[in-house]
Every structure is written in structure tokens, then in C-alpha cells.
Amino acid sequence: MPARGDHDARRRDVSEAVWQVLAAKGFGGLTLRAVATHMGSSTGLLTHYFPSKQALVRHALEIAQQHTAGRERFTSAGEGLPGLRAALLDVMPLTPQSTAMNRVWISFWDAALSDAELAEVELQRYERWRGMLRPHVDAAIRLGQLAGDPDDVDPDDIVATAAGFAHGIVVQAIFDPARFPAQRQIALVDGFIARLQR
Amino acid sequence: MPARGDHDARRRDVSEAVWQVLAAKGFGGLTLRAVATHMGSSTGLLTHYFPSKQALVRHALEIAQQHTAGRERFTSAGEGLPGLRAALLDVMPLTPQSTAMNRVWISFWDAALSDAELAEVELQRYERWRGMLRPHVDAAIRLGQLAGDPDDVDPDDIVATAAGFAHGIVVQAIFDPARFPAQRQIALVDGFIARLQR
């Protein structure tokens, strides 16, 4: 039993080190050597957990997804556009934690562009995220919150536009935190939502 | 004189190989070895041109900027919002050439996040790009094209929102060309512009 406990504790240490390396260097800087250095251990020990670079990247993806799923969320004041607003704020780099998370996912874009399997993972992640935004847009249409003729509104296009806007602000804010403090990011989301509104 | 011509021709070959590696593998996959393999030459020859990884990355940045500056542009049908529309379409991955260009710049985000000097380059690139969008937004305000009270409109916020929207659509389109064909990208830009309009 103690051996089992040691084993689990060691796995947690390894996972934590993988996350720290990801947050500092992104997927591009994720190597067995970097994780080993962070743990003060040998790369030999780590090959026990990760027999290949691919295995390391897969584990890193799981950890990044856990961090993303486990983050604090905004609560929405209502259905439709207020829900969409909260969902967009959920991805903004408003705190050091969400900045680290975004930094990791931006680096994953590059990794995914050089690897067909990872590109498919990223395509699916986007589909899932757009799928999470979609019910808010559907509710906004149903509740008559959107500007324009409801028959002319394509919910998929509103979702893609909102997802695009959010990620594009994320990238600008990550590179230029002085020009994009949390307060301005929130104001930009509010302005975007206001322009969708009738 | 012929020696000089040979020298220039070789430089062009090297630059072309750097661009091909960038387009295929991004900044993350840019190494002397990859460029040498692409040219069928030795890495030794390339160290003559690039004494360090930093020198290679700097040259790659110049080439990427030349390709970006030299790309075909949309002509605008008028001042203000039509000009903004054309400027946003200019960055969309509507052709194989602009897809390659965007793939390169997305990979640069990761490179820049791990390197303070490159992060400053990216911050300046964004400032320059927002600076190019700004006159269109100023004209739109002056011409009374924007929705809302002109005194409440912050041109910097409109510019950041437009830049964010465009890059966010770029990323989605790069990963999911089947869901984001050229025609849909153009429709999304048109929808975004329409929602800015009074």
C-alpha cells in the first residue's frame, strides 16, 4: 500500500512538472529533458512514464484539458447573450492562471500545425468549444435578443464570430498585457455583445 | 562579377528554402538542418549565412514580413467600413499563399512566447497592424457609418475588436478549412462589418 501511495504521489509530481514546463515554455518547449530538469531528476526515470515524445504530448494535452475544465467560471446573469458574455469571459486571460492556460493553448496551435494527429485534436477542441457557445446563441435568437431579422441570422456564423473575436483578443492581450488589462478585456467583450444586441 | 551573381543567386536559394521550411513546419520547425535538407546541402554551408539560430530566425522573420507585405490586396470600394472590410479580408486564408502566410505567423506566436526579444517583435507587429486598421475606423466615425452614439465609440476598441475577430477566424479556418471555405470567411467578414454599421 505505501508503495502504491508513493507511486501515485510520484505521478502527481510528474504531472505537475509537465504543467509547469507547458506554462513556461509551451508545447514547443516540452521535452523529457525540460520536465526532468524541472523535477531535478533524470530523463531515464521519466521514460518509465513516457516511452515516447508522443506519450509525453498526449499526457500534456490531458493535463492542459484538466486545467482548462477545472478553471473558475463566470456565472451568467441570464439566458442568451448574458450566457454568451460569461462564456467568452471564461476564456479571457484575466488572471495569471488563465494567462498561463491561454499561453499553453496558443503554443498548441503551432504544435498542431506540424502534426496531423494533433491538428485533428485541435479541430475537435474547436468544435467542442463552438458547441458550448451554441446554446447561448440559440437562446438569444429564441428570446429575440439579437439585432436583425431572425430569419437572416445564422447561429453557426454568430458562434464562429464570437469564438473568433474571443481568441483574437486573447492573443492581443497575451502579447500586450499593458494595453489589454483585465478591465479593458471585459469592456471589449461587453462592446462585442452590445453590437450583437437588437 | 559572375562570382557576385552566384553569391546573390545562392542567397536567394537560401531565402527560398527558409520560406519553404517556414511554410511547412513553422518557426518551431525552423532549424539549420531542415533548411539544409530542403536545399540538399550541408548545414556547414548554411552556418556561413547564419552563424546562430538567432540569425536564422531573424532572417526568417524578414522573409515572412516580405511575403506578407508583398501579398495581393483587396481594393476597397470606399472609405471607412469598406476600407476596413478590405483590410480584414487581406489577412484571411482565402488562397494557398495566404494560408501558408497565416500558418507561419501562427507558429511565430509560440516562438515569441518563449523569447522576450521575439515577443517584443510580435507586440510591435500588432501595433503596426492595428495602426493600419485605425484610419479606416477613424474615417467610418467621421462619415457617421458606425452604429451608436459617436461620442461613446472608442476607435481603439473597435480596432482591437476587428483585429481580434479577424485573427480568430484565421485560426479557425486554418484548422478547419472544410467548415471555413473562402466564401464563408468572406461572409463572416461581411456580417462583422454589418454589425458595426448604423
Side-chain angles (χ1 to χ4, degrees), chain A:
Chain A
M1 285 294 113
R4 176 77 206 168
D6 285 356
H7 182 76
D8 289 351
R10 173 52 64 116
R11 277 197 83 84
R12 277 195 301 277
D13 288 350
V14 170
S15 292
E16 179 57 25
V18 169
W19 173 250
Q20 292 299 332
V21 170
L22 271 187
K25 304 178 177 213
F27 277 89
L30 180 68
T31 58
L32 282 183
R33 184 184 295 265
V35 177
T37 302
H38 191 84
M39 295 183 73
S41 78
S42 69
T43 54
L45 174 91
L46 287 173
T47 55
H48 172 67
Y49 295 93
F50 311 117
S52 65
K53 173 74 194 249
Q54 205 182 25
L56 174 61
V57 169
R58 277 204 198 120
H59 184 68
L61 253 176
E62 272 173 36
I63 295 174
Q65 263 151 2
Q66 281 166 17
H67 272 261
T68 303
R71 73 192 189 278
E72 269 191 85
R73 308 290 180 111
F74 280 79
T75 46
S76 141
E79 263 194 296
L81 288 180
L84 183 63
R85 174 184 184 272
L88 298 185
L89 288 175
D90 277 342
V91 300
M92 292 289 151
L94 301 170
T95 65
Q97 290 75 21
S98 54
T99 300
M101 187 188 80
N102 275 297
R103 193 248 168 280
V104 168
W105 287 123
I106 290 173
S107 81
F108 186 64
W109 289 338
D110 182 38
L113 282 169
S114 328
D115 182 306
E117 193 185 321
L118 298 183
E120 181 62 28
V121 169
E122 183 57 13
L123 187 155
Q124 298 297 337
R125 289 188 64 239
Y126 254 114
E127 265 295 273
R128 217 157 49 232
W129 188 42
R130 286 187 298 251
M132 287 165 60
L133 301 180
R134 178 66 190 260
H136 301 301
V137 171
D138 285 341
I141 293 173
R142 197 175 61 240
L143 296 168
Q145 294 173 339
L146 294 188
D149 182 344
D151 292 337
D152 288 344
V153 172
D154 181 330
D156 278 337
D157 283 355
I158 304 275
V159 165
T161 298
F165 158 76
H167 275 169
I169 297 295
V170 164
V171 174
Q172 293 179 79
I174 288 279
F175 281 106
D176 206 342
R179 274 194 193 82
F180 291 86
Q183 195 182 336
R184 184 174 182 213
Q185 294 178 46
I186 295 169
L188 287 167
V189 170
D190 284 335
F192 177 81
I193 295 290
R195 272 185 291 275
L196 289 177
Q197 215 151 3
R198 73 161 58 241

Side-chain angles (χ1 to χ4, degrees), chain B residues 5-164:
Chain B
D6 285 359
H7 182 75
D8 288 351
R10 175 51 64 114
R11 278 197 83 85
R12 276 194 301 276
D13 289 349
V14 171
S15 292
E16 180 57 25
V18 168
W19 174 251
Q20 293 298 334
V21 170
L22 271 187
K25 306 179 175 210
F27 277 90
L30 180 68
T31 59
L32 281 183
R33 184 184 297 265
V35 177
T37 301
H38 196 272
M39 295 183 72
S41 78
S42 68
T43 54
L45 174 91
L46 287 173
T47 55
H48 171 67
Y49 296 93
F50 310 117
S52 66
K53 173 75 193 247
Q54 204 181 25
L56 174 61
V57 170
R58 277 205 198 120
H59 184 68
L61 254 176
E62 271 171 38
I63 294 173
Q65 264 151 2
Q66 281 166 19
H67 272 262
T68 304
R71 73 194 188 277
E72 268 191 84
R73 307 290 181 108
F74 280 79
T75 46
S76 142
E79 265 194 294
L81 288 179
L84 182 62
R85 173 185 184 271
L88 298 185
L89 288 175
D90 277 341
V91 301
M92 293 290 151
L94 300 172
T95 65
Q97 289 75 21
S98 53
T99 301
M101 186 188 80
N102 275 297
R103 192 248 168 281
V104 168
W105 288 122
I106 290 173
S107 80
F108 187 65
W109 289 338
D110 182 38
L113 282 169
S114 329
D115 181 306
E117 194 186 321
L118 298 183
E120 181 61 28
V121 168
E122 183 58 14
L123 187 155
Q124 297 298 337
R125 287 189 64 240
Y126 255 114
E127 266 295 273
R128 217 157 48 232
W129 188 43
R130 287 188 297 252
M132 285 165 61
L133 300 180
R134 178 67 191 259
H136 302 300
V137 171
D138 286 341
I141 294 174
R142 197 175 62 240
L143 297 168
Q145 295 172 340
L146 294 188
D149 182 344
D151 292 339
D152 288 344
V153 172
D154 181 330
D156 278 337
D157 283 355
I158 304 274
V159 165
T161 297

